[in-house]
Each structure stands twice: as structure tokens, then as C-alpha cells.
Amino acid sequence: MQRARSESDKTARRRRLVAAALDEFYERGFTAARMEDIAGRADLSKGTLYLYFSSKEDLFRALIDEYALPNLNTLEMISRTGPSLGAALSAIATFAPQVIRHSNLPKLLKVLIGDSQNFPGIVRTYREEVIDRGLAAVSALLQRAHDAGEIEIDDPALTARLVIAPMVLSIIWQAVFAHTDKTPIDLDTLFRMHVDHLKRALSYQE
Amino acid sequence: MQRARSESDKTARRRRLVAAALDEFYERGFTAARMEDIAGRADLSKGTLYLYFSSKEDLFRALIDEYALPNLNTLEMISRTGPSLGAALSAIATFAPQVIRHSNLPKLLKVLIGDSQNFPGIVRTYREEVIDRGLAAVSALLQRAHDAGEIEIDDPALTARLVIAPMVLSIIWQAVFAHTDKTPIDLDTLFRMHVDHLKRALSYQE
DNA sequence: GACAAATAACTGACTGGTCAGTTATTAATA
DNA sequence: TATTAATAACTGACCAGTCAGTTATTTGTC
């Protein structure tokens, strides 16, 4: 293994280690995952891993910054800049299957749920900085559409939960069951249907 | 500790141990949970626990029979005997908050997700005997409503996922975040809204 | 450009502690 | 007294985190 001398070499190492940690945590669970295996997956030794992260929990904490925040930023952008609710929902319907199939968010969420009780501090952070912000973004989007007379709606906060519910379901499914499916779920159709239902359900009716 | 003499004493012991295991697994995760603590929670010693269950995994397996199947049976009953889709959905809307707040299903699902990768066999069983049967029940309900001309629907299997999505979201929320909420989510309103949306979205229009 | 000294990235054997599962022993019941 | 539920001491494997030592790379000197 070539050594990391420059600062950019080191951040690359950090990223490799975080990626390795996510895979090991995902495959074996936080407690059962071995630091030596995480290091080995990144072609490094256990000692080196401890040069980059001070503890197993420190490594766990790094996962959120690396994998949750980018997706949240995309969601917030869609919610904020969407010209109309319909357009924003359609954008979400396109975005969601991508994230579920190709990002690390399902793995991250699985790990987070599985070890939530062991790390109340981390869960609190994740909840405040990711979940609450995501719900707030969708909620604000709905409120604006209501104010513009686009839809009728009683409770934006609860409705926001109904909007994201199929994402949560699909993310969990992807992380837990997807690899046992012979034919994968048609996520594109699922989310198109979901958005279609929402538009019908929320639009004014005589 | 008084001894278990009769056969019914012993099944009572088994149930106490399974309940203790669920709580420990939920609070610490499967790997981190200690057999001694599980036994202690049931006011028994570790050795006694091994008289009732041959291994930690055996104990894990018992959780599904004890806590998942009863709820599934209720869901299947609602889906099968409902006189109309609207009535069945309303029944689900009443039933779901109860289960989420007062049953052990949230804890079970949290444990199952967290340790799914370590026990592919158990996950396969759970998926086939609980999830697939639950989805099939809802799917059949929708199909019958369609055949009766009650709703228009393209894909009952995917629609069934949209029906249960808020339940999964709420169950996860309950298991992971609920204890950090100052004010609990209004589940009754949430599911009333959900069912209302579904009825609007699926009914024939214009 | 050649060599040596200095630096810091990297390694893996080791320690201290933990815990699943076993077993020898105790004691309640019939 | 025979049976068996229950216990607690025990064992063996496992692993997070440490640290003394190794080696690739850079820097300074001629």
C-alpha cells in the first residue's frame, strides 16, 4: 500500500474507511462488525484505522455526514425551488428511486435503526439535522401550495409524513429484503402512482 | 424463584423469557444483548434460560411467533371480511394506531431490521410468513374492490405498498424516535387522513 | 546527485475485559 | 429417596483499543 502523504491523500483514505465501515456495519451490525475487518476492506491495518478515527463510535458518527446530508440537500433544493407543487412532487418521484437504488442511504438507515438505542446522541443529531429538516422542507412546500390556492390541506406536518412514507418503506425494503427478491420492485411506477394519488387527493374537489 | 411444576407454569416461563428477550434486544441490539440480563429480567438465572431455549438465535426466532403472527391475523381478518373497501380501510385506520402504540410490533420490527443481515433464514421466514401474507391480503382486498367496480386501479400489488407505507413509517418512528418526542404524533388523525386520501385517489373521477 | 538524518504513515502482537454456552452442585417436590 | 428445576462457577473464544517497532518518504547537507 502506497502511503498517504498529502492532505488530499488523507481525505481519500478517510472516505475509503468510512465506506468500508458502512458496508461492514450494514452486513454485520455495529456491535458485531470488527475494526480489523473494516480496516482490511480499505486495504489498511487496524492500527492505521485508529490514526484516522479515535473509536468505533467516531467512525459511526462520520457516516451521517458522509451519506445523509447530501441527499437531504437535494430534497431541500427540490422543495424550495420547485415552481409548483405538482412539479416538485414529480421531481421527488424521479429522485426517490435513484436514491433508493444507487445511494448508500438505505444501508445507512438500516444501521441507524439497528443501533439507535446504543447511541442516543447520534440518533438525536440525525433526527434534528436530517429527518426534521426533511419533513420541514416538504411541509413548507405543501403550505406554500396551499397559500397559492393550489391544494386544500389541513395539517401540512402530518401530510408531509404521508408524502415521505413510501420513501421510508422503500428504503427499508431495499436494505432488508431487496437482495432476496427475484424481480425488483418497480420503484419508478410506485412513485409515479404515489405522486398521482397525492395530486388527486389534495386537489380541490367540488 | 418458585419452581415451575406444571406444564402451564413452564409455558408462562417461556413467555416471560421471550418478553424479556424482546426488551433487551430492542434496547441494546441482538449482539450486544446479554443472555444473563435477559434471564435476570425474567427473574431467572442464565442456566435456566438455557433450559428453555437452546441458543440466543433460538430465542430470537421465538419472537416472531409470539409477536408478529397475531397482528398479521387481525390484518388478514379485516381484509377478508370487510363488506366494502371503504369499511375495511376505515377499520385499518382504527386498528393501526392501536398496534403502533400498544403492541410489541415496533420493537420487533426494529430488532428484525437491525439484525437482518446476521440471520438470513429468519428474515426469509418473516418475509414469507408475515410481510408477503400481509401484502397479499391488502392486494386481494383492492382487487376485489376493483372487480366490484368500487375503485379504479392498475397495479394492486404496488398500491398495497402505498396503503401500508404509513404504517411502516409510523412503526419505525415509534421504535426509533418516539421516546424523544415531547408531543406524540397524532396517529389517529394521520391514518384518518391517509384513508381519506386513498378513497379520493382511487375512486372514479370526472 | 548521493547520502544521511528526520519524519510520520503504517503494522500487528498484545492486553484486559466481555460473554455465549457448559456443567457440577444445590435444593424443591413427589 | 428419586427426580428435576434452578443455580453459579467455569471455560474458551473473541475483540476494541494500545503501543513498540518498522519502513516509505521527505528534507537537509555536501
Side-chain angles (χ1 to χ4, degrees), chain A residues 131-189:
Chain A
I131 310 267
D132 286 351
R133 276 176 58 196
L135 282 172
V138 175
S139 201
L141 173 69
L142 292 167
Q143 183 66 54
R144 267 183 282 117
H146 171 83
D147 295 345
E150 209 179 334
I151 55 170
E152 57 179 342
I153 193 173
D154 290 330
D155 189 327
L158 285 183
T159 309
R161 279 168 196 266
L162 294 179
V163 172
I164 65 158
M167 294 182 217
V168 175
L169 171 69
S170 303
I171 286 173
I172 302 290
W173 190 274
Q174 175 74 21
V176 179
F177 297 118
H179 60 103
T180 73
D181 282 332
K182 322 176 237 310
T183 52
I185 315 290
D186 183 349
L187 292 174
D188 298 294
T189 305

Side-chain angles (χ1 to χ4, degrees), chain B residues 153-169:
Chain B
I153 193 173
D154 290 329
D155 189 327
L158 285 183
T159 308
R161 279 169 196 267
L162 294 179
V163 171
I164 66 158
M167 293 182 219
V168 175
L169 172 69

Side-chain angles (χ1 to χ4, degrees), chain A residues 3 13 45 47-48:
Chain A
R3 290 184 172 204
R13 279 250 191 301
S45 70
T48 306

Side-chain angles (χ1 to χ4, degrees), chain A:
Chain A
M1 197 60 202
Q2 191 97 333
R3 290 184 172 204
R5 300 300 298 199
S6 68
E7 209 50 44
S8 71
D9 282 354
K10 289 194 193 174
T11 52
R13 279 250 191 301
R14 266 188 82 91
R15 295 174 76 98
R16 274 232 314 283
L17 287 167
V18 172
L22 179 62
D23 285 337
E24 287 292 327
F25 289 164
Y26 170 67
E27 285 175 18
R28 323 223 310 141
F30 176 82
T31 313
R34 297 166 69 244
M35 292 298 266
E36 199 170 346
D37 292 340
I38 294 170
R41 203 183 260 255
D43 292 314
L44 291 168
S45 70
K46 184 157 70 143
T48 306
L49 171 52
Y50 277 93
L51 296 177
Y52 289 88
F53 297 94
S54 66
S55 70
K56 208 177 182 185
E57 184 171 344
D58 191 28
L59 196 45
F60 187 77
R61 202 173 282 114
L63 294 177
I64 294 175
D65 298 334
E66 187 72 25
Y67 297 116
L69 295 180
N71 289 312
L72 174 65
N73 291 336
T74 309
L75 177 65
E76 282 190 331
M77 210 188 63
I78 290 176
S79 297
R80 248 199 296 275
T81 67
S84 74
L85 178 66
L89 287 179
S90 299
I92 289 175
T94 320
F95 169 57
Q98 294 290 327
V99 171
I100 292 162
R101 274 196 296 256
H102 302 300
S103 84
N104 279 316
L105 198 61
K107 287 182 182 178
L108 175 63
L109 200 64
K110 186 255 176 191
V111 172
L112 207 88
I113 290 171
D115 291 282
S116 56
Q117 262 63 19
N118 293 344
F119 303 106
I122 296 177
V123 169
R124 177 182 218 81
T125 304
Y126 181 77
R127 192 237 158 112
E128 286 167 1
E129 298 195 357
V130 180
I131 310 267
D132 286 351
R133 276 176 58 196
L135 282 172
V138 175
S139 201
L141 173 69
L142 292 167
Q143 183 66 54
R144 267 183 282 117
H146 171 83
D147 295 345
E150 209 179 334
I151 55 170
E152 57 179 342
I153 193 173
D154 290 330
D155 189 327
L158 285 183
T159 309
R161 279 168 196 266
L162 294 179
V163 172
I164 65 158
M167 294 182 217
V168 175
L169 171 69
S170 303
I171 286 173
I172 302 290
W173 190 274
Q174 175 74 21
V176 179
F177 297 118
H179 60 103
T180 73
D181 282 332
K182 322 176 237 310
T183 52
I185 315 290
D186 183 349
L187 292 174
D188 298 294
T189 305
L190 181 76
F191 282 97
R192 208 157 38 234
M193 284 170 55
H194 176 49
V195 164
D196 184 54
H197 287 181
L198 281 175
K199 286 178 184 170
R200 285 200 195 195
L202 298 177
S203 65
Y204 282 103
Q205 287 174 325
E206 103 277 19

